């Protein structure tokens, strides 16, 4: 196994099962002797998690699209500076549940802010840090949204602002993920999220193993 830092992100629609897969990958990597930092966006260190609560609070219906995207990048900047970059410098594997690709598809395309704006913000917040590898857990928007909404309905403090968006919004996000993967096939690997969990886990490992 190599001992240099590697940055791997998981992307996909809400309810795609990406979080489960990320944790399974973390277990495999640790079993293989790697030190792994697991983070999730928006979130990570305490300041970034506090920003997450503001962004996803279902009561914040008046939040403007620009305020929203700046908060995502404020959270990301904190995560990059406090957790991700130091871990990579220590030679660890960093796994992040979502990163800038989420802002490209949800805010750039879904909210219509434009991809160029998102990439400008990325330059400020991440200063050149890009994932080495991105796993896109692909599921159709209809079943994944239904799953995410059912999960939130069962939560005492649900995070629902994006789940409340229309089906049309989620279809645009889904198409944008595919466009991203087509534009960067070397970095972004699509994994079929409809397969049984164990099969998906194996597929993720096949993609990741040569990089670690
Ligand atoms: P999660 O359910 O994977 O924790 O993500 C929370 C929500 O935040 C999800 O609906 C996607 C959304 N999101 C964005 O819209 N833009 C972003 O940059 C990130 C990181 C998440």
């Amino acid at each position: 196994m190599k001992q240099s830092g590697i940055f791997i992100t998981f992307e996909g629609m809400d309810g795609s099962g990406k979080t489960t897969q990320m944790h399974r990958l973390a277990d495999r990597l640790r079993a293989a002797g790697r030190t792994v930092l697991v983070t999730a966006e928006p979130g990570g260190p305490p300041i970034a998690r506090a920003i997450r609560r503001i962004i996803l609070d279902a009561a914040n219906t008046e939040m403007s699209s620009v305020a929203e995207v700046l908060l995502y990048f404020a959270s990301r900047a904190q995560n990059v500076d406090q957790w991700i970059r130091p871990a990579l410098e220590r030679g660890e594997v960093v796994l992040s549940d979502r990163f800038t690709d989420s802002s490209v598809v949800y805010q750039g395309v879904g909210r219509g802010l434009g991809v160029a704006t998102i990439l400008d913000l990325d330059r400020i917040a991440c200063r050149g840090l890009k994932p080495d590898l991105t796993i896109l857990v692909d599921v159709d928007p209809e079943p994944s949204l239904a799953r995410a909404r059912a999960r939130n309905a069962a939560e005492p403090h649900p995070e629902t602002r994006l789940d409340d968006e229309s089906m049309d919004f989620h279809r645009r996000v889904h198409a944008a993920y595919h466009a991203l993967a087509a534009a960067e096939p070397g970095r972004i690997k699509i994994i079929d999220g409809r397969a049984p969990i164990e099969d998906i886990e194996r597929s993720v490992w096949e993609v990741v193993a040569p990089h670690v």
Side-chain angles (χ1 to χ4, degrees), residues 10-15 18-19 40-43 52 55-56 68-69 72-73 75-76 97-107 111 118 148 151-152 159-163 169-170 177:
F10 278 73
E11 294 284 351
M13 311 292 295
D14 289 325
K18 64 183 167 43
T19 307
E41 295 214 334
R52 176 189 180 98
I55 301 176
L56 298 177
E68 181 192 61
V69 76
Y72 276 116
F73 275 99
S75 162
R76 186 161 300 135
D97 188 350
R98 299 190 179 281
F99 199 64
T100 296
D101 293 325
S102 283
S103 301
V104 169
V105 299
Y106 284 95
Q107 282 67 54
R111 298 268 195 241
I118 305 303
R151 190 172 54 197
N152 270 328
E159 295 176 325
T160 59
R161 266 177 14 83
L162 278 136
D163 299 348
F169 176 91
H170 291 279
Y177 265 133

Side-chain angles (χ1 to χ4, degrees), residues 52-195:
R52 176 189 180 98
R53 284 194 285 279
I54 298 171
I55 301 176
L56 298 177
D57 186 338
N60 284 340
T61 52
E62 291 176 334
M63 190 184 295
S64 79
S65 298
V66 174
E68 181 192 61
V69 76
L70 291 173
L71 287 173
Y72 276 116
F73 275 99
S75 162
R76 186 161 300 135
Q78 188 68 34
N79 197 15
V80 166
D81 285 346
Q82 195 177 340
W83 275 16
I84 299 177
R85 217 186 278 281
L88 292 173
E89 283 166 5
R90 291 193 299 268
E92 297 176 7
V93 181
V94 176
L95 303 183
S96 184
D97 188 350
R98 299 190 179 281
F99 199 64
T100 296
D101 293 325
S102 283
S103 301
V104 169
V105 299
Y106 284 95
Q107 282 67 54
V109 178
R111 298 268 195 241
L113 292 176
V115 174
T117 302
I118 305 303
L119 297 182
D120 283 343
L121 293 171
D122 179 70
R123 270 188 286 280
I124 297 168
C126 306
R127 298 187 309 283
L129 177 70
K130 274 197 91 163
D132 297 297
L133 187 65
T134 296
I135 307 289
L136 173 55
V137 181
D138 188 37
V139 287
D140 292 331
E142 285 83 359
S144 65
L145 187 59
R147 213 172 124 187
R149 284 179 177 162
R151 190 172 54 197
N152 270 328
E155 286 282 325
H157 302 290
E159 295 176 325
T160 59
R161 266 177 14 83
L162 278 136
D163 299 348
D164 289 347
E165 286 296 329
S166 66
M167 199 60 236
D168 179 59
F169 176 91
H170 291 279
R171 284 201 196 98
R172 272 186 285 131
V173 167
H174 183 251
Y177 265 133
H178 277 265
L180 263 186
E184 288 191 67
R187 172 175 70 89
I188 305 178
K189 305 296 179 195
I190 300 181
I191 304 258
D192 186 351
R194 294 166 307 180

